[in-house]
Amino acid sequence: YILNYKEPWFFDRPIPMRVFLMREERKEKNIDTGEIRYRVKKYAASIGIEKRLTERTKFDVYYEFSLAKTFDVQPDVILSKEDSGTLAISSIRPAIAYDTRDNPFDPQRGVLVGMSVKVATSLLFSETDFVKVILQGSGYQRLARWLVLAVALRGGAAEGLRDTEELPLVERFFLGGRNT
């Protein structure tokens, strides 16, 4: 479940502010047997501001706090110490995007490229420390009246900091899911 609220003014200035609340339940299954390997419940709240730098370039910065509970873990699943029980993650995420699409909901031409950096740290009372960078891009070109070629590329890298040797399960990269 996702609840998203956007306020166009922040302290009487035309800077959009966004509040985001999320509740997620996920289960990881073994592809061969269909057996559930573990379950995750995650609750997250985020607040941030957005600033348009140019007509096509936007910058935003968000603070996020989440609680992730991992349970029903099968004995053969190897997890890091951050993956057992409930984990609090507190992070800052700045991002920048460049958008030349003619329509954000049904683009016929243009590009959208962006980069975000998520930093979780015990300085913000997080129980884990890491940095995670995500780069993404998509391009659109109308080939015929009824046909648009869409190409997208997405990649990321993450590294644990301080005592965090591995990224928490809820922050790792997986193929598939709601954002692909």
Side-chain angles (χ1 to χ4, degrees):
Y1 305 98
I2 295 174
L3 179 63
N4 196 3
Y5 173 74
K6 184 174 181 178
E7 173 63 43
W9 294 85
F10 182 69
F11 291 119
D12 294 329
R13 295 183 183 212
I15 299 174
M17 181 190 74
R18 190 178 301 255
V19 176
F20 177 87
L21 302 172
M22 180 184 76
R23 179 181 184 265
E24 176 183 33
E25 290 187 29
R26 186 173 70 218
K27 51 188 166 187
E28 177 69 26
K29 290 185 178 181
N30 182 310
I31 294 174
D32 298 327
T33 65
E35 175 188 26
I36 296 174
R37 298 173 50 87
Y38 59 86
R39 296 176 192 265
V40 176
K41 278 188 182 179
K42 181 178 177 182
Y43 302 90
S46 178
I47 186 167
I49 58 171
E50 303 172 357
K51 177 69 175 161
R52 189 152 296 281
L53 302 176
T54 69
E55 183 181 333
R56 302 206 179 274
T57 307
K58 179 182 81 164
F59 174 79
D60 57 53
V61 62
Y62 284 87
Y63 167 77
E64 180 181 306
F65 182 81
S66 66
L67 291 173
K69 180 179 179 180
T70 305
F71 58 100
D72 290 345
V73 180
Q74 297 302 312
D76 64 329
V77 177
I78 300 171
L79 300 174
S80 66
K81 64 181 170 102
E82 287 86 3
D83 294 329
S84 55
T86 302
L87 178 68
I89 301 173
S90 181
S91 63
I92 295 287
R93 185 193 57 82
I96 192 162
Y98 178 74
D99 189 357
T100 66
R101 296 173 298 171
D102 58 346
N103 183 326
F105 300 107
D106 185 22
Q108 305 291 306
R109 67 180 68 79
V111 297
L112 172 62
V113 294
M115 180 179 97
S116 69
V117 178
K118 183 174 185 177
V119 179
T121 174
S122 56
L123 298 173
L124 296 171
F125 305 106
S126 181
E127 294 178 339
T128 184
D129 298 276
F130 64 86
V131 62
K132 183 176 181 180
V133 178
I134 297 176
L135 301 166
Q136 56 190 8
S138 54
Y140 305 89
Q141 182 59 53
R142 183 183 206 144
L143 300 178
R145 186 171 160 248
W146 50 272
L147 181 65
V148 174
L149 173 67
V151 178
L153 182 63
R154 187 175 188 186
E159 182 72 31
L161 303 173
R162 296 188 184 171
D163 293 335
T164 303
E165 294 178 17
E166 291 186 36
L167 225 58
L169 186 66
V170 293
E171 292 294 338
R172 293 182 194 155
F173 295 104
F174 293 96
L175 292 176
R178 67 179 177 175
N179 294 326
T180 60

